[in-house]
Amino acid sequence: MLLALDPQGRVLGIAGALGVRLGRSANGQALPLADFVTANSAALLSGTPEQWARDCLDLDFIGNDGRALHTRGWLTATRDGWLFQAMDIGDLIRHQEAGDQRRQALLHAGQAAERIRLASASLLPQVTTELLEALALRWRVPCMALALYMPGGQGWQVYAQYRGHGAPGYWQEGQRLGQELADLHGRAPQRWSWSQLSQHPRLFALLGDGPAFLVPYVEISGITAWLFCAPFEPDTDSALGDAEWQQVCAQLAGPLLARLRDQSQRHEGGRLEALQGMLGAGWWEYLPATKAVLLAPALAHAWQADEQGRLPLENWLQQVHPADRDEFRARLRSAELNGQGFTQCLRLYLSGAQEAAIWHRVQTQVQGTATPPRVFGFLLDISDIKAQEASAAAAHARLRNLIASAPAVIYVLRYEDGALLPEFCSESLGPMLGWTLAELQQGGLAERVHPEDHDIFFARSRSLLRDGQVSCRYRLRDRQGGYHWLLDEVRLLRNELGQPQEAVGIWLDVTEATLAAERVRESEERYRILVEDSPAMICRYTPDLVLRFANRPLADYLECRPEELAGANLGAWLSDEQRQTFQERLIGLTPEQPVSTAEICLQLPGREHAWWIWADRGVFDEHGRLLEVQAVGRDNTEVRKAQQQLYQGAKMATLGEMATGLAHEMNQPLNVMRMAVANVLKRLANDEVQVDYLRDKLLRIEAQVQRAARIVDHMRVFGRRSDVEQQLFDPREAVEGALSLLSEGLRGKGVDVRLALGAERFAVRGFADQLEQVLINLMVNARDAMLGKKEKEPDFAPSILVGLEKRSAWAELRVEDNGGGIDPRLLEKIFEPFFTTKPVGKGTGLGLSVSYGIVQQMGGRLSAENGVEGACFRIALPLFADSPSQVPGEEPAAVPTGLAGQHG
Ligand code: ADP
């Protein structure tokens, strides 16, 4: 640049490219040179150009753009003034300044490192922040932060940050940065330009939207710190280059990291110490020079080491249990010689019972190639674990024994490409089937499955894979070739993706149960056939008589199909009375007396009546409630009819036998009438008939006619067939009926008939005519016996007593004679059919046996004994429970069950 000056130093003209323009004063005069330079430079321009021209002149001009222009120039005199030749020395000055700044910066950084080294641990973050602030102010960085790779495994974190007034807050202390810095790892440790950073969106977000500047700190392990500056980008001609920035960063981060590492190590050491104390564990080291071991404080006491933790090796070995000692010694030796580390569990050798109770695990490492190498390790009290191991092993052994001795095989199948292959079987496989796992693995299971069960077996695998579990039964061949029925329960286990991994299952040998079930089924089948084919009627019904099952014979009798009978009511075939009696009988069934037999009378379709002998057996629940009745019946109608005919025949025989007596009986009124008629006729012939006399005779005749008619009527009634169903009647009627037929005849033979019937009325169920028949039989027998006696003893006075009495729930009829009784040896035989002691043609031997049957059919009992003077026959009949003649207030006594059918 050239400036032309006048002798007073006013600028006349400017030439050159440095961008300083010539200015003029308001009145158009040239301005002094001082007006073109900065105030500092203006101070140099006192005096005249002559004085300035002695030295070179450093002037800062004010450029067109307002910036200072550093120049160095010389004045040379011209004809009419001065010429100032100047050249730009801006670069030179900046260089110098940068050098200064660099020196100061490094000085400052050195001080920073010193402060960090000396700061107390708690003040470290604060000191770091202050140092960042100083840096920021010096380099005019709005925001600064120091991110560290924190020791102790905490990873990347913003350790300290500073931001100037009004600067945006990009970071906070303690902010974790693992994700954001990930992109920088593994790259060259260098400064990152803004455009480079902008390719990493995560970093970009972290560094705000202005330009940013990142300075790495590199250690052996790689980058361990970053200095963030934002929004900031140093000028290329800035005082600090990348290397200096890294140095600044290193002065800050290096000592800081060292302090933090130290802290964390101390922390860890403390933790380790505490842990060792808690575990009763610790390190040890072998000192070859002194043939001793050095033990951690936590161990020193337990192993009786000296205060420094030293213990002669031989003493140490002596404290190891003899069982483990030699092995330990040998292994230690080999570690020392061959550099092989090892781990051994050993027992402490203490006298007394606990000797096996304290276990230690010794871990040994060998380091270094020097001879001897460094042998050291770790000791851990594992008594707890050993005790647990022992109890777990015992429990495991128990479980194994249990599984092995169980009648079940537990197995595991491995899933491989759609197939399930045996992988494990409990030891019970051998005892149960005789196979080994290896054999099952070789041959496959399917081959050993019974051919008939193949379908089941293959379906099992399919549904196992589909549904995840399955339960089925099939037969598997054992080593001897026999088949076992197995209940197979198996479950599929899947991995987290839902793909089949393996199947765990159990085989239960259910051969016996299955065969037993089979036998039961077969037996049931046999019984079913038996029931179906039985000629007897068999059925099951509920207590309210609803049929649950009926076999074919029963259905045939009832004229329908067996299946129609289920649900039908048995009562439909019974008369109301029969049904009532039937149900009363069922009420009498108890778990102790579950069986009852009776003859029941039914009204069958198409037949008049049917008589069935019916045996019921009650089925009870645990509370003794009647659930169901099982019954077997047989048709007794024919027998019944024959019996009726027999009774009828017997009656007719009685009538026949009594014909003489009856003739006498009839003769009596006839004689009376004949005499009355003869007398009346005689009087009529004499014409002496008086009305009163006539009426008297006629009344007498009428009375005799009535008497005869009564006898004839009764004979007719007696001779009639009995009713089909039993009726209620008073036994007195039977006594009277019998006497009406017999008394005259007896009297004629000189037999005295005495009655002791009492006034009480009774009701019994049965047939009055049949009971009359019984009484006649008894009285005729008594008469015969007495008349036989009279033949031998003419003075003998025959006498019969007929009595009627109530004995608890029974009505008792008694026929007693004085004919001398029955030979005691014959007492048991007299009820047998055809037993008689009477001469041929006189006795039939049927009277008492028929009588016995009749009384039995009425639910009663006929018995004989010898009284004082003769035989005494008793007929006990159950009183009808609802008898109206019951004495009020007297409880009806229960009819003893099972009495019917008992012989007296
Ligand atoms: P039958 O009268 O035809 O002989 P029964 O059955 O009526 O047949 O009697 C059987 C036997 O019992 C008689 O033959 C007799 O020996 C004996 N018997 C029955 N009743 C008496 C009685 N009241 N006293 C003595 N013996 C009797």
Side-chain angles (χ1 to χ4, degrees):
M1 184 171 70
L2 290 173
L3 285 99
L5 307 178
D6 64 7
Q8 283 75 39
R10 283 186 294 249
V11 179
L12 301 173
I14 297 176
L18 288 181
V20 178
R21 216 173 284 155
L22 181 63
R24 298 272 172 192
S25 70
N27 50 16
Q29 285 194 340
L31 291 172
L33 178 60
D35 283 6
F36 289 83
V37 298
T38 59
N40 284 352
S41 300
L44 298 175
L45 298 176
S46 56
T48 57
E50 242 175 344
Q51 289 166 317
W52 309 335
R54 276 178 229 144
D55 279 317
C56 65
L57 206 57
D58 286 356
L59 292 180
D60 295 347
F61 283 85
I62 300 169
N64 283 339
D65 54 359
R67 287 210 289 177
L69 201 63
H70 305 288
T71 60
R72 174 166 292 175
W74 299 266
L75 280 173
T76 38
T78 56
R79 266 183 300 133
D80 45 3
W82 297 89
L83 184 67
F84 183 63
Q85 284 180 302
M87 52 191 203
D88 187 353
I89 57 161
D91 278 354
L92 209 68
I93 289 175
R94 266 198 293 280
H95 225 75
Q96 197 177 353
E97 276 178 359
D100 287 352
Q101 277 180 338
R102 198 175 297 134
R103 264 192 306 283
Q104 276 195 14
L106 295 182
L107 190 70
H108 192 85
Q111 287 165 354
E114 201 53 28
R115 276 191 69 187
I116 286 173
R117 261 193 287 278
L118 295 178
S120 72
S122 60
L123 283 179
L124 263 182
Q126 195 190 323
V127 169
T128 314
T129 309
E130 283 169 15
L131 292 171
L132 278 182
E133 180 182 356
L135 266 179
L137 292 177
R138 169 175 290 272
W139 303 108
R140 288 190 292 281
V141 184
C143 296
M144 278 196 115
L146 184 65
L148 298 180
Y149 188 72
M150 298 291 283
Q154 298 176 66
W156 283 99
Q157 193 169 310
V158 174
Y159 183 77
Q161 60 95 22
Y162 167 79
R163 89 184 133 101
H165 264 298
Y170 295 127
W171 315 290
Q172 293 109 42
E173 281 92 358
Q175 185 181 348
R176 296 191 172 273
L177 297 175
Q179 286 296 317
E180 289 81 355
L181 293 179
D183 291 340
L184 295 180
H185 290 165
R187 311 285 183 111
Q190 56 167 22
R191 181 197 131 170
W192 286 69
S193 75
W194 185 237
S195 60
Q196 279 172 312
L197 289 172
S198 66
Q199 287 161 16
H200 300 281
R202 281 184 295 197
L203 260 179
F204 210 57
L206 178 69
L207 299 172
D209 46 8
F213 180 61
L214 267 67
V215 187
Y217 169 60
V218 188
E219 289 184 322
I220 295 175
S221 56
I223 299 174
T224 50
W226 286 97
L227 186 66
F228 297 167
C229 308
F232 174 76
E233 194 159 24
D235 297 334
T236 39
D237 50 356
S238 154
L240 290 187
D242 283 353
E244 279 89 3
W245 271 107
Q246 285 195 16
Q247 206 172 339
V248 168
C249 179
Q251 292 285 16
L252 204 58
L256 190 57
L257 278 168
R259 285 293 307 270
L260 291 174
R261 270 188 206 120
D262 188 43
Q263 257 177 39
S264 134
Q265 250 163 28
R266 215 169 293 164
H267 206 70
E268 249 169 50
R271 272 205 304 252
L272 197 68
E273 197 82 4
L275 190 71
Q276 291 188 12
M278 279 189 290
L279 289 175
W283 51 264
W284 59 269
E285 180 154 7
Y286 177 54
L287 309 170
T290 52
K291 294 232 177 287
V293 280
L294 190 62
L295 295 175
L299 296 177
H301 179 70
W303 293 94
Q304 297 164 18
D306 69 9
E307 272 168 26
Q308 280 84 47
R310 274 169 207 277
L311 177 71
L313 177 64
E314 205 41 48
N315 285 11
W316 198 30
L317 289 172
Q318 286 310 314
Q319 292 180 59
V320 172
H321 196 278
D324 304 322
R325 193 182 296 151
D326 285 346
E327 180 184 346
F328 186 44
R329 190 199 304 272
R331 280 170 173 269
L332 261 185
R333 169 71 47 81
S334 121
E336 197 184 350
L337 295 179
N338 311 328
Q340 268 174 0
F342 67 92
T343 300
Q344 189 190 343
C345 293
L346 42 82
R347 277 156 288 188
L348 220 64
Y349 188 42
L350 300 172
S351 52
Q354 308 165 305
E355 69 176 54
I358 300 181
W359 279 89
H360 276 101
R361 185 202 298 280
V362 184
Q363 237 145 6
T364 309
Q365 276 185 29
V366 185
Q367 247 182 22
T369 45
T371 35
R374 207 178 146 206
V375 178
F376 62 98
F378 198 76
L379 255 177
L380 180 68
D381 187 339
I382 52 162
S383 308
D384 280 4
I385 301 170
K386 278 285 178 188
Q388 271 172 18
E389 247 174 43
S391 72
H396 189 235
R398 278 199 296 276
L399 196 67
R400 275 179 74 92
N401 281 345
L402 202 71
I403 291 175
S405 60
V409 173
I410 293 167
Y411 64 84
V412 177
L413 304 176
R414 182 166 36 89
Y415 178 83
E416 210 176 275
D417 301 334
L420 289 162
L421 310 170
E423 169 122 320
F424 164 82
C425 271
S426 62
E427 281 165 26
S428 40
L429 177 69
M432 196 160 108
L433 295 173
W435 301 117
T436 62
L437 175 63
E439 285 168 327
L440 286 192
Q441 282 168 335
Q442 272 165 23
L445 266 183
E447 269 180 27
R448 293 179 170 87
V449 172
H450 194 286
E452 285 173 19
D453 297 340
H454 270 156
D455 286 349
I456 300 173
F457 184 74
F458 295 129
R460 155 193 177 269
S461 307
R462 282 194 296 274
S463 50
L464 176 60
L465 290 175
R466 190 183 56 232
D467 307 333
Q469 69 181 74
V470 72
S471 167
C472 59
R473 277 164 194 260
Y474 48 84
R475 278 161 288 180
L476 206 65
R477 199 177 63 238
D478 63 15
R479 180 180 282 284
Q480 280 75 40
Y483 279 98
H484 291 246
W485 272 103
L486 298 184
L487 174 62
D488 187 2
E489 301 258 3
V490 54
R491 247 168 207 282
L492 189 70
L493 306 181
R494 298 175 185 274
N495 63 12
E496 58 277 15
L497 298 175
Q499 286 154 344
Q501 285 299 93
E502 57 180 24
V504 180
I506 182 166
W507 278 324
L508 266 176
D509 192 335
V510 290
T511 311
E512 267 175 42
T514 309
L515 293 182
E518 184 73 6
R519 280 197 295 274
V520 168
R521 205 185 53 73
E522 278 170 9
S523 134
E524 263 180 8
E525 180 63 16
R526 277 200 297 274
Y527 277 109
R528 197 187 60 75
I529 293 170
L530 211 63
V531 166
E532 278 303 311
D533 296 354
S534 160
M537 294 171 276
I538 298 174
C539 67
R540 286 172 24 229
Y541 58 89
T542 59
D544 46 0
L545 308 190
V546 176
L547 281 169
R548 282 187 172 155
F549 163 81
N551 71 347
R552 181 159 296 283
L554 180 59
D556 288 346
Y557 271 107
L558 300 179
E559 293 193 352
C560 45
R561 280 180 288 133
E563 51 276 19
E564 283 171 357
L565 273 182
N569 196 305
L570 260 188
W573 288 277
L574 296 172
S575 70
D576 289 349
E577 255 177 61
Q578 279 276 342
R579 188 163 55 243
Q580 197 183 343
T581 330
F582 195 95
Q583 275 174 329
E584 274 166 18
R585 205 167 45 81
L586 292 186
I587 291 167
L589 295 181
T590 60
E592 293 76 33
Q593 293 250 355
V595 182
S596 146
T597 307
E599 187 172 41
I600 59 171
C601 173
L602 291 101
Q603 293 155 341
L604 292 187
R607 288 167 68 168
E608 233 180 78
H609 281 95
W611 294 91
W612 289 352
I613 301 289
W614 196 251
D616 288 312
R617 170 179 277 276
V619 177
F620 299 87
D621 67 8
E622 66 271 31
H623 308 295
R625 272 195 303 256
L626 182 63
L627 292 180
E628 190 185 80
V629 183
Q630 300 175 344
V632 180
R634 76 178 152 77
D635 189 2
N636 202 38
T637 314
E638 292 308 316
V639 177
R640 191 62 197 242
K641 273 188 187 153
Q643 219 170 28
Q644 296 289 17
Q645 265 165 9
L646 189 68
Y647 295 162
Q648 192 60 26
K651 275 199 296 191
M652 287 316 185
T654 307
L655 278 182
E657 195 194 326
M658 284 186 309
T660 349
L662 282 170
H664 183 75
E665 197 89 345
M666 295 299 281
N667 248 349
Q668 200 72 3
L670 286 178
N671 274 338
V672 175
M673 281 191 287
R674 193 172 59 229
M675 276 172 65
V677 169
N679 285 343
V680 170
L681 285 175
K682 205 151 114 197
R683 291 265 176 130
L684 273 177
N686 296 341
D687 240 354
E688 284 174 10
V689 184
Q690 282 149 6
V691 176
D692 285 351
Y693 177 81
L694 200 59
R695 182 183 299 122
D696 181 45
K697 287 295 169 196
L698 283 175
L699 283 176
R700 204 160 173 182
I701 291 169
E702 194 194 9
Q704 293 306 315
V705 168
Q706 274 178 8
R707 183 178 164 195
R710 232 184 6 250
I711 293 168
V712 172
D713 268 358
H714 185 76
M715 278 172 64
R716 219 175 37 227
V717 170
F718 183 71
R720 218 168 41 204
R721 282 178 171 275
S722 304
D723 286 331
V724 173
E725 287 202 28
Q726 296 186 332
Q727 310 289 338
L728 285 183
F729 68 97
D730 190 336
R732 188 190 299 266
E733 287 170 24
V735 177
E736 281 162 1
L739 286 176
S740 75
L741 293 179
L742 278 183
S743 60
E744 269 316 307
L746 289 176
R747 212 169 297 133
K749 303 263 181 193
V751 177
D752 179 26
V753 178
R754 286 181 295 140
L755 294 177
L757 301 181
E760 210 181 339
R761 314 288 301 182
F762 305 108
V764 296
R765 191 193 286 279
F767 306 102
D769 61 331
Q770 290 185 2
L771 183 59
E772 192 179 318
Q773 161 80 33
V774 173
L775 286 168
I776 289 172
N777 281 346
L778 296 182
M779 285 195 272
V780 166
N781 277 347
R783 182 199 63 192
D784 290 349
M786 289 187 299
L787 292 185
K789 184 172 177 184
K790 193 174 168 71
E791 267 176 28
K792 293 172 205 154
E793 301 170 26
D795 295 343
F796 172 65
S799 151
I800 299 182
L801 174 76
V802 180
L804 174 59
E805 257 178 285
K806 183 177 173 235
R807 286 187 186 272
S808 65
W810 301 80
E812 189 187 83
L813 282 161
R814 181 159 54 100
V815 178
E816 195 171 353
D817 62 61
N818 59 353
I822 309 161
D823 184 338
R825 286 167 299 178
L826 304 182
L827 258 180
E828 288 201 349
K829 294 195 164 178
I830 55 172
F831 292 105
E832 288 173 10
F834 308 113
F835 176 80
T836 179
T837 56
K838 292 173 191 169
V840 182
K842 184 127 201 316
T844 59
L846 284 177
L848 283 180
S849 88
V850 166
S851 299
Y852 190 95
I854 290 172
V855 174
Q856 193 185 44
Q857 211 168 53
M858 287 172 68
R861 183 168 58 153
L862 173 62
S863 61
E865 64 191 24
N866 279 323
V868 191
E869 292 177 286
C872 175
F873 285 83
R874 290 173 200 273
I875 305 165
L877 293 172
L879 282 172
F880 179 60
D882 294 326
S883 165
S885 59
Q886 205 102 61
V887 183
E890 193 180 330
E891 283 292 312
V895 177
T897 50
L899 185 69
Q902 280 177 16
H903 276 254

